[in-house]
Amino acid sequence: MTTRIIGTGSYVPDQIVTNDDLAKIVETSDEWIRSRTGIGERRIATADSTSDMAAKAAQAALDQAGVRAEEIDLILLGTSSPDHCFPNGACEIQAHIGAVNAACFDISAACTGYVFALNTAHAFISTGMYRTALVIGADVLSKLVDWGDRGTCVLFGDGAGATVVRADERGILGMNMHSEGAKGGVLTCGSRSNGNFLLGKKPELGYMSMDGQEVFKFAVKKVPECITEVLASTGTPKEDITYFVIHQANYRIIESIAKRMKIDPARFPVNMEHYGNTSAASVPILLDEMNREGKFKPGDKIVLSGFGGGLTWGATLLEW
Ligand code: ACO
């Protein structure tokens, strides 16, 4: 018994912010952002919270799957920007959609959050502990970036993507998850300084900070490694893979991964031009777009891969 994606959904806020809009608040240009990242615009949440967006994506996935919220045994939310420290975001989604029978918790693995959540759901389902799960990636990084820092604020957008997964004969064939905490300093966010009455100050929350070139090097090394690993562990030649659905951080990263793996970049779909880097939401948003466009046929083999803060990275190989 394995785990199969039986429904997908996604949601992005209405508000579009173009590169030209950002050039009005920091010293940058459409040409600089497009040529280095492939990003043209992003959606920024003004009314929606992370759990609002995630619940809308989840409901769309449930509707497509024809599954009632009460049938969900487990909700896993990959996020770095939950509305609160507690209750966790998955519990808030549960309340929104009425999934009263689900156990709910968040997975904190930055941009790898959805892939780690999917692999975790698979671990529960393949042991027989749960049958049906909602696996969601959602982030509102617009509330975590310093809008005066051109090195980071141009990269991100807000959104949510969701999948309903269920125990089945066909589905996930292999997966892996990796972490390297010792390199965590290259990409950090929201570090909370100590603050209490003994210190005479309140805690302060920091913004995102990133060593872009180190993140770039990390991604183009580790993503090919984990994809190669999941293919080898299942005896699957790379030629058998219809699509490689990779975290949408940056077009140049994806291009370099394709080149390094000697795979036609056309098999690495991209949508960051319209959404920017939506962190944990990017893989499930792209999956949902492709699914609704009818790009996947039963039997297609698809690789999903995420990479991000932690550092964390991992891959999933599945048969649609
Ligand atoms: N507009 C104009 N100039 C800028 C901008 C901007 N938005 N941001 C930085 N610059 C400037 C810098 O100040 C620097 O100027 P200087 O030479 O006068 O000092 C110059 O551009 C070059 O800066 P670099 O940081 O060296 O630029 P680089 O070519 O490395 O591109 C980028 C930066 C796009 C961030 C690149 O390093 C990258 O793609 N890294 C991957 C990081 C990533 O995608 N992170 C996403 C989040 S993490 C994740 O999802 C896993």
Side-chain angles (χ1 to χ4, degrees), residues 28 32 36 111 150 156 187 210 212-213 247 250 277 307-308:
T28 190
W32 193 98
R36 285 185 174 67
C111 307
R150 67 178 181 174
F156 299 98
L187 185 55
M210 178 182 78
Q213 291 182 7
H247 171 47
N250 176 312
N277 176 350
F307 56 94

Side-chain angles (χ1 to χ4, degrees), residues 2-315:
T2 184
T3 305
R4 184 170 167 212
I5 294 177
I6 59 168
T8 62
S10 59
Y11 175 83
V12 290
D14 292 336
Q15 181 70 55
I16 296 173
V17 174
T18 65
N19 293 342
D20 288 332
D21 292 331
L22 292 182
K24 293 177 192 148
I25 61 163
V26 287
E27 203 179 322
T28 190
S29 65
D30 181 57
E31 193 282 322
W32 193 98
I33 301 169
R34 273 184 198 275
S35 61
R36 285 185 174 67
T37 69
I39 297 167
E41 61 190 29
R42 70 287 294 141
R43 303 297 181 98
I44 298 295
T46 49
D48 293 301
S49 70
T50 302
S51 64
D52 292 333
M53 295 196 310
K56 288 173 187 165
Q59 192 58 58
L62 287 171
D63 292 345
Q64 192 190 68
V67 168
R68 286 177 299 111
E70 298 79 15
E71 295 175 61
I72 299 294
D73 306 312
L74 175 70
I75 301 177
L76 297 181
L77 171 66
T79 191
S80 318
S81 50
D83 301 348
H84 305 101
C85 292
F86 46 86
N88 68 49
C91 281
E92 294 189 299
I93 297 163
Q94 175 189 38
H96 274 291
I97 63 174
V100 290
N101 297 310
C104 306
F105 59 95
D106 294 358
I107 302 264
S108 175
C111 307
T112 323
Y114 172 79
V115 171
F116 272 24
L118 179 64
N119 291 348
T120 304
H122 174 53
F124 280 111
I125 287 172
S126 55
T127 61
M129 186 167 175
Y130 295 124
R131 178 164 180 262
T132 310
L134 251 174
V135 183
I136 305 162
D139 268 308
V140 179
L141 289 196
S142 63
K143 64 187 173 193
L144 300 179
V145 296
D146 174 355
W147 286 97
D149 173 16
R150 67 178 181 174
T152 52
C153 77
V154 303
L155 303 175
F156 299 98
D158 302 331
T163 46
V164 180
V165 300
R166 183 165 264 178
D168 205 313
E169 295 301 320
R170 194 171 78 216
I172 291 179
L173 300 167
M175 55 100 157
N176 58 57
M177 301 193 271
H178 297 282
S179 307
E180 191 173 6
K183 296 252 177 80
V186 304
L187 185 55
T188 64
C189 187
S191 16
R192 216 176 260 270
S193 68
N194 281 354
N196 54 48
F197 79 100
L198 294 171
L199 294 168
K201 60 175 188 177
K202 291 183 176 174
E204 283 170 13
L205 203 58
Y207 291 114
M208 179 182 306
S209 132
M210 178 182 78
D211 181 335
Q213 291 182 7
E214 284 304 313
V215 172
F216 197 104
K217 283 189 257 174
F218 148 69
V220 301
K221 180 167 187 291
K222 295 300 186 184
V223 172
E225 278 178 18
C226 69
I227 292 177
T228 304
E229 179 189 333
V230 81
L231 294 178
S233 69
T234 53
T236 309
K238 63 186 178 190
E239 292 71 26
D240 285 9
I241 305 303
T242 313
Y243 292 113
F244 296 83
V245 179
I246 308 295
H247 171 47
Q248 302 285 297
N250 176 312
Y251 181 69
R252 287 192 310 149
I253 290 179
I254 292 187
E255 202 178 30
S256 303
I257 291 167
K259 192 170 171 197
R260 209 173 253 234
M261 298 193 71
K262 299 189 173 55
I263 297 170
D264 180 355
R267 284 159 67 203
F268 288 73
V270 290
N271 68 359
M272 82 283 286
E273 183 183 2
H274 300 296
Y275 304 120
N277 176 350
T278 56
S279 192
S282 84
V283 168
I285 289 175
L286 181 54
L287 260 186
D288 182 48
E289 281 191 346
M290 296 179 72
N291 188 26
R292 284 172 196 270
E293 286 165 12
K295 293 262 170 68
F296 304 132
K297 297 187 298 300
D300 277 354
K301 288 188 178 151
I302 297 156
V303 167
L304 313 181
S305 179
F307 56 94
L311 295 170
T312 54
W313 65 101

